[in-house]
Amino acid sequence: MNKEEKHDLVLALADQIKEYGNFYITDTADLTVAKVNNIRRQCFEADITMQVAKNSLIKKAMEAAGGDFAPIYDVLKGSSSILFSKSATAPAKLIKALRKKGDKPVLKAAYIDSSVFIGDNQLDTLTKLKSKEQLIGEIVGLLQSPAKNVISALQSGGSIIAGVVKTLQERG
């Protein structure tokens, strides 16, 4: 790979980092070509983009993308693959499924909406993350709940008051 090709790869990776906002760095060393191709196929089916690149180029792409990726730099050793996805949990779920059949890929780090997760021990946590939309929906539901209770109380209280007024009018 010549200098121009490396530069183009760094720019492409930086663009993907900005576009997706979520990425996982995994160790796929010592896997056969057939196994890597199988992982690529499963990534494609799960709408995940997989890119194998040298650690130095991944680091340069992170620097070019801007943001605080410094905690990730320490894990950029050995063979690295980078997985991009719009879904924060899809790559974690795929890695977990792949690990049922073997010991790779191993999670080195994940960057999810400006949060950094380091180490393979974070895999279970990453599979359980909720999306922004899910969290917003829960917050809206929590905020609406007290308002619904007040409206319900007012409506039932209003019918009681109306009943009392009607009774008084009938007597009066």
Side-chain angles (χ1 to χ4, degrees), residues 76-101:
L76 292 174
K77 295 176 175 80
S79 177
S80 295
S81 299
I82 188 165
L83 307 175
F84 297 101
S85 177
K86 292 287 184 187
S87 165
T89 59
K93 290 176 181 175
L94 177 63
I95 292 169
K96 199 164 186 169
L98 290 167
R99 294 282 289 281
K100 290 178 182 175
K101 299 173 186 166

Side-chain angles (χ1 to χ4, degrees), residues 99-155:
R99 294 282 289 281
K100 290 178 182 175
K101 299 173 186 166
D103 59 347
K104 297 263 177 145
V106 174
L107 178 67
K108 291 182 173 184
Y111 183 84
I112 311 296
D113 292 325
S114 74
S115 295
V116 176
F117 299 83
I118 303 289
D120 196 57
N121 61 333
Q122 298 291 319
L123 198 55
D124 285 333
T125 302
L126 289 164
T127 60
K128 297 173 186 167
L129 286 179
K130 294 184 179 184
S131 70
K132 281 183 182 179
E133 292 78 20
Q134 289 171 319
L135 290 173
I136 290 170
E138 286 181 12
I139 291 170
V140 168
L142 290 171
L143 291 173
Q144 285 180 340
S145 182
K148 287 181 181 177
N149 291 341
V150 169
I151 291 170
S152 177
L154 289 174
Q155 287 174 339

